[in-house]
Amino acid sequence: MMTSASKAGTNEQTVMQTPPVVSPQEWEAARQQLLVKEKAHTRARDALAAERRRMPWMEVTKTYAFEAPSGKASLLDLFQGRKQLILYRAFFEPGVFGWPDHACRGCSVVADQVAHVSHLNARDTTLVFASRAPQADIARLKARMGWNIPWVTITDSFDADFGVDEWHGTNVFYRDGKRIFRTYLIKSRGDEQMGGTWNYLDITPLGRQEPWEDSPPGYPKSPTYKWWNWNDSYEAGSEPDKKWVEITDAGEIALRAPGAQ
């Protein structure tokens, strides 16, 4: 099958070579053939996340200062008492295209994709965006764009020290008491996959914290699905609904069956 398309700004026609149109049986056969590779990709992605959880850590000994809506904040404060911190460097400041009405287009696309942070919080993880714009400008931007992500102002060399002074990037940190460790950095095209709860958890040292994951001994884990909840219903110590337990138990069996995705 072929369709015609015009080149931008010209009347010249180019022929787009589209795939063949086939019967339902042939289409399903093709899907099953591709599914083999997709399952291999899923297993490879899980294995990469497992390797990421075993990366060495770098202790952060330098003190950093940020401006938050509530006032001055340290890097430790940004954890909000949780074990893990995902800190995305977004470009919104004088000199960035779009200022003062908008943040960088690419960083804005990332912000538009961020899932409800309550799901990350339920896994002892805090997500924060950081820019050099003053808090008043950040508040105005968030209101305009409908973003609810915690967003702080960088006031020192944090961005240069962590490789995100010239390009956006996502640093991951782990807190042990008052000690802070840098565990991972993903930037450039790697940031394209960010925004979803699962992709964020997969770059953290603790991962999704579910039994099926290949994590080092002693890492926290709780039953798959059981910790999931509506974003307005996470409560400490709450028990999952009994019907939900039945449904998810059946789903888990199916998911882990031989040949399943």
Side-chain angles (χ1 to χ4, degrees), residues 222-250:
S222 59
T224 308
Y225 305 121
K226 302 301 185 295
W227 65 271
W228 299 8
N229 212 333
W230 296 288
N231 64 43
D232 65 350
S233 300
Y234 283 108
E235 296 179 7
S238 62
E239 294 292 330
D241 180 81
K242 291 183 178 180
K243 184 63 177 178
W244 177 240
V245 171
E246 294 174 6
I247 294 172
T248 54
D249 281 346

Side-chain angles (χ1 to χ4, degrees), residues 46-57 84 204-221:
D46 290 341
L48 186 60
E51 186 174 349
R52 190 180 294 122
R53 289 190 289 276
R54 289 168 171 81
M55 269 193 60
W57 295 357
Q84 302 187 129
T204 65
L206 298 182
R208 304 185 190 191
Q209 304 163 51
E210 296 180 345
W212 61 270
E213 284 184 301
D214 176 12
S215 295
Y219 274 43
K221 292 185 178 183

Side-chain angles (χ1 to χ4, degrees), residues 41 79 92 105 121 134 152 155 160-161 188 200 206 235 244 259:
H41 176 74
F79 284 80
F92 176 52
R105 285 175 174 171
N121 297 164
V152 298
T155 67
D161 292 350
S188 301
Y200 273 131
L206 298 182
E235 296 179 7
W244 177 240

Side-chain angles (χ1 to χ4, degrees), residues 9-28:
T10 73
N11 292 322
E12 183 180 348
Q13 297 288 316
T14 58
V15 177
M16 186 170 69
Q17 301 291 332
T18 60
V21 176
V22 298
S23 68
Q25 294 78 15
E26 291 172 308
W27 185 90
E28 180 59 25

Side-chain angles (χ1 to χ4, degrees), residues 79-97:
F79 284 80
Q80 298 176 24
R82 301 185 181 96
K83 288 286 188 181
Q84 302 187 129
L85 170 66
I86 301 172
L87 189 54
Y88 176 73
R89 178 16 168 151
F91 279 84
F92 176 52
E93 56 213 53
V96 172
F97 179 77

